[in-house]
Amino acid sequence: MSTLTRRTDPAGSAVVGRLSRLDRFLPVWIGLAMVVGLLLGRLIPGLDDALDAVAVGGISLPIAIGLLVMMYPVLAKVRYDRLDTVTGDRRLLISSLVLNWLVGPAVMFALAWVFLADQPAYRTGLIIVGLARCIAMVVIWNDLACGDREAAAVLVALNSVFQVLAFGLLGWFYLAVLPGWLGLPGAELRVSAWEIARNVLVFLGIPLLAGYLTRRLGERARGREWYESRLLPRVGPVALYGLLFTIVILFALQGDAITGRPFDVARIALPLLVYFALMWAGSYALGRALGLGYARTTTLAFTAAGNNFELAIAVAIGTFGVASGQALAGVVGPLIEVPVLVGLVHVSLWARRRFFTPPLDREASR
């Protein structure tokens, strides 16, 4: 974890050690960041236009900076010489691809039609959120829950490649083809593979390269012990600062939309709550059934439940406009995802003690 230290007991099982104040009260800081962002968006005229004036890959520059700062420390912690232990785990890789690209979009499509059948704009926005799979914040949730960092890096990279290849195709299928088969009204989605690839290169490629070079050069210069005991504890907290900064800016950008239409936000939030609960719990149960161990089960669950909200918002705004219902649905995504997945971090740590004994948790001693 960013500021979490771990210790190993004599039997070799890892247990959660001392939490810093930042980690211990993380839900409080996130709640305050959301409130501060909403207040800034409401109280400072023109703030949203100023923040949105410069964009990177369709994302406001301040949010882009926050995302990059947030992801870099976690990716600097990854032991890249261990990635082969993940790529050889076919159960994990296949399960992740099935959950992300078959189950996830289908579940969101069904929930969008069940809860928002009379709201085509919000329904379309939710379906877009379901198509945008994990890339950024999921590395934070996984790290906080003591998941497998190497597995998270591989799964995020793998899903990013599939995102470039499959996002547009699945968007066409779920918004145009499948509704037609079912006799339902459809919609069109205009997005190019290059726009998605650019998003992936910026928000995954840059922090991944920076993290890899930091570890490689740091270990070469001073050794692994110095790198992990001296450098990482200094770099680690930056991830959560980046997360809080991103949340403030995100909610400042959409403060008027969120506070001005509370009933609509509540309607969009309900299927999202069901979605996150179903995807996380189902993936966690699958990992447990496959015997993946706690760390990889946790990584599987969070990478399946998390969404690439920055891509979803960018696509919704680019296709339907910044003031559209589709864009509002995209914005409500992180509004619900952030507190829910923070809660699921605590559920995951509880489940570790309840369901994973040392013999089953083979990766716990990492």
Side-chain angles (χ1 to χ4, degrees):
M1 296 174 65
S2 55
T3 50
L4 177 68
T5 57
R6 304 183 196 180
R7 58 185 174 84
T8 304
D9 63 17
S13 61
V15 295
V16 178
R18 181 173 55 85
L19 284 169
S20 74
R21 182 174 299 175
L22 180 63
D23 284 319
R24 193 180 309 120
F25 296 105
L26 181 61
V28 176
W29 310 138
I30 287 177
L32 288 175
M34 295 166 70
V35 171
V36 168
L38 290 173
L39 290 176
L40 288 175
R42 293 285 291 181
L43 298 177
I44 303 179
L47 178 62
D48 53 348
D49 293 332
L51 293 174
D52 222 8
V54 181
V56 176
I59 302 298
S60 167
L61 180 60
I63 291 183
I65 293 173
L67 291 171
L68 295 175
V69 171
M70 176 183 69
M71 292 183 68
Y72 160 69
V74 179
L75 292 172
K77 295 177 182 179
V78 172
R79 291 183 176 179
Y80 292 92
D81 56 348
R82 290 186 175 180
L83 294 185
D84 58 336
T85 66
V86 180
T87 56
D89 191 342
R90 293 186 178 180
R91 296 174 304 167
L92 178 66
L93 299 183
I94 293 174
S95 297
S96 179
L97 290 176
V98 170
L99 288 168
N100 274 283
W101 297 104
L102 295 180
V103 178
V107 169
M108 188 67 89
F109 175 86
L111 291 173
W113 274 100
V114 168
F115 288 95
L116 297 169
D118 62 331
Q119 295 288 340
Y122 298 155
R123 184 180 67 235
T124 299
L126 273 190
I127 293 172
I128 293 173
V129 171
L131 296 175
R133 309 312 301 168
C134 65
I135 183 173
M137 283 191 177
V138 70
V139 299
I140 293 288
W141 313 137
N142 177 74
D143 215 42
L144 289 170
C146 301
D148 188 318
R149 290 190 190 115
E150 288 72 42
V154 170
L155 295 185
V156 166
L158 181 65
N159 283 312
S160 297
V161 172
F162 270 77
Q163 197 157 247
V164 174
L165 299 175
F167 185 91
L169 179 61
L170 288 177
W172 168 74
F173 176 75
Y174 279 105
L175 292 176
V177 176
L178 186 57
W181 290 353
L182 301 175
L184 303 171
E188 293 184 2
L189 183 66
R190 299 188 303 274
V191 59
S192 71
W194 164 241
E195 290 173 336
I196 301 171
R198 181 178 59 186
N199 185 283
V200 170
L201 288 173
V202 170
F203 295 111
L204 177 61
I206 292 176
L208 183 61
L209 179 61
Y212 172 78
L213 290 176
T214 300
R215 176 172 281 277
R216 184 173 180 83
L217 296 177
E219 288 188 354
R220 179 180 295 178
R222 304 291 294 273
R224 174 164 291 187
E225 182 178 355
W226 172 86
Y227 181 85
E228 296 191 344
S229 65
R230 301 294 295 275
L231 181 62
L232 287 184
R234 296 180 180 180
V235 173
V238 174
L240 294 187
Y241 298 143
L243 171 65
L244 296 176
F245 174 80
T246 302
I247 292 170
V248 170
I249 299 301
L250 177 66
F251 285 88
L253 275 168
Q254 300 294 336
D256 284 335
I258 294 171
T259 58
R261 290 185 272 178
F263 180 72
D264 289 354
V265 169
R267 287 204 62 185
I268 298 169
L270 185 56
L272 282 168
L273 285 170
V274 177
Y275 171 83
F276 291 130
L278 287 176
M279 289 300 297
W280 189 89
S283 303
Y284 205 92
L286 176 62
R288 178 85 166 90
L290 292 175
L292 294 180
Y294 171 79
R296 290 188 177 177
T297 293
T298 297
T299 300
L300 180 67
F302 279 100
T303 52
N307 290 93
N308 186 354
F309 74 82
E310 59 272 21
L311 174 61
I313 293 173
V315 170
I317 290 175
T319 303
F320 302 101
V322 68
S324 65
Q326 292 87 344
L328 177 62
V331 170
V332 175
L335 171 69
I336 303 304
E337 178 176 344
V338 168
V340 168
L341 292 190
V342 168
L344 288 174
V345 166
H346 293 279
V347 173
S348 185
L349 293 172
W350 169 84
R352 180 185 195 178
R353 298 188 300 270
R354 178 68 176 81
F355 299 112
F356 290 88
T357 58
L360 286 175
D361 192 4
R362 293 186 295 272
E363 293 138 351
S365 59
R366 294 176 65 252

